Amino acid sequence: MKFAVLVFPGSNCDIDCYKAVESALGEPVDYVWHTATDLSGYDCILVPGGFSYGDYLRCGAIARFAPVMNEVAKAAEEGKYVLGICNGFQILTEAGLLPGTLRRNDSLKFRCHDTVLRVENNDNPFTSLYAEGEEITIPIAHGEGNYYCDEDTLRQLQENRQIIFRYSSNPNGSVDDIAGITNERGNVVGMMPHPERAVDGLLGSEDGKKMFTSILKAWRDRHESAGVR
């Protein structure tokens, strides 16, 4: 399985994502610059956190128009796995690959600390190795992590079980305590907390490691069922 870690001007969690794949999975992984126009060689696309293009105008609003995002949309349509973390989540909502938007934290302060998440749906390629209802410790680092959507969209997220993580203690004012969601197909995930910063006990938690191993398991299961080795 091959991973791509996108890099925009202002990305600052790209190295963390690269190292997480390298250490947690030992699978091939490349940095891919925002001007790239071909992601066909990759099975999973990681859209990392940071401040893409300085977060001018609005978080993710400029990155959404980067050439590589056309390829991310193609990859998602093909059923490949896409994970947007923090600013990556913001970019995916701006690109229309996930519903809703991210607003300023209700405290109007940057929040940077560990937070406890509850796994709401483990019937997903990104969460299958967690137990439903399991509580995990994953760090956050954001000023605009307040997830918002209208009532109809929220109802759809709830009914389709697209909410995969909720905060046990909401740090930013997100509607319905939402910390992470998927698209309807289940192959695109966005979340504000940073699982790539929780893959080793030295970092304070290994709870994020199962996200990466879940993705690898889903990919292997898919290819074994298709008879591809």
Side-chain angles (χ1 to χ4, degrees):
M1 183 178 190
K2 194 166 185 179
F3 288 76
V5 176
L6 304 190
V7 183
F8 300 91
S11 296
N12 65 14
C13 302
D14 44 335
I15 296 175
D16 294 342
C17 285
Y18 186 103
K19 293 296 183 182
V21 172
E22 192 175 53
S23 64
L25 302 179
E27 295 292 311
V29 55
D30 292 328
Y31 294 114
V32 176
W33 193 233
H34 64 113
T35 55
T37 56
D38 184 6
L39 293 176
S40 61
Y42 298 98
D43 305 294
C44 181
I45 317 301
L46 303 181
V47 190
F51 301 90
S52 57
Y53 299 93
D55 276 349
Y56 294 115
L57 299 184
R58 188 174 60 249
C59 294
I62 301 178
R64 175 262 178 278
F65 293 102
V68 76
M69 291 306 299
N70 292 325
E71 302 308 305
V72 174
K74 289 180 186 177
E77 181 64 27
E78 292 168 1
K80 294 184 178 184
Y81 305 120
V82 179
L83 173 60
I85 302 168
C86 200
N87 189 227
F89 186 10
Q90 296 162 343
I91 293 170
L92 293 182
T93 60
E94 288 287 337
L97 294 176
L98 290 172
T101 191
L102 283 305
R103 308 190 299 184
R104 290 288 303 277
N105 296 344
D106 58 359
S107 65
L108 302 184
K109 295 180 180 179
F110 187 87
R111 302 292 299 269
C112 184
H113 52 75
D114 284 345
T115 187
V116 176
L117 307 182
R118 186 171 61 254
V119 180
E120 299 292 347
N121 180 1
N122 68 345
D123 186 21
N124 181 276
F126 298 80
T127 58
S128 65
L129 295 178
Y130 294 108
E132 188 161 328
E134 181 177 352
E135 291 192 337
I136 60 176
T137 299
I138 306 289
I140 60 170
H142 58 249
E144 295 178 270
N146 182 348
Y147 180 78
Y148 174 79
C149 61
D150 60 36
E151 292 183 3
D152 287 342
T153 300
L154 178 59
R155 185 163 50 253
Q156 290 174 2
L157 292 175
Q158 294 166 340
E159 291 175 354
N160 296 335
R161 301 194 70 215
Q162 290 175 245
I163 301 169
I164 60 169
F165 295 117
R166 282 191 173 95
Y167 297 108
S168 292
S169 180
N170 195 328
N172 51 38
S174 290
V175 64
D176 201 24
D177 299 327
I178 289 174
I181 62 171
T182 74
N183 62 343
E184 288 191 37
R185 191 172 178 180
N187 65 310
V188 179
V189 161
M191 59 188 297
M192 287 310 298
H194 288 266
E196 80 282 10
R197 296 181 181 177
V199 296
D200 191 292
L202 290 173
L203 300 175
S205 172
E206 297 183 18
D207 289 347
K209 187 173 182 178
K210 287 183 183 178
M211 279 210 75
F212 296 97
T213 53
S214 292
I215 296 168
L216 180 59
K217 178 181 183 299
W219 182 84
R220 285 177 172 169
D221 289 348
R222 176 193 288 183
H223 283 73
E224 286 176 5
S225 65
V228 178
R229 298 187 183 276

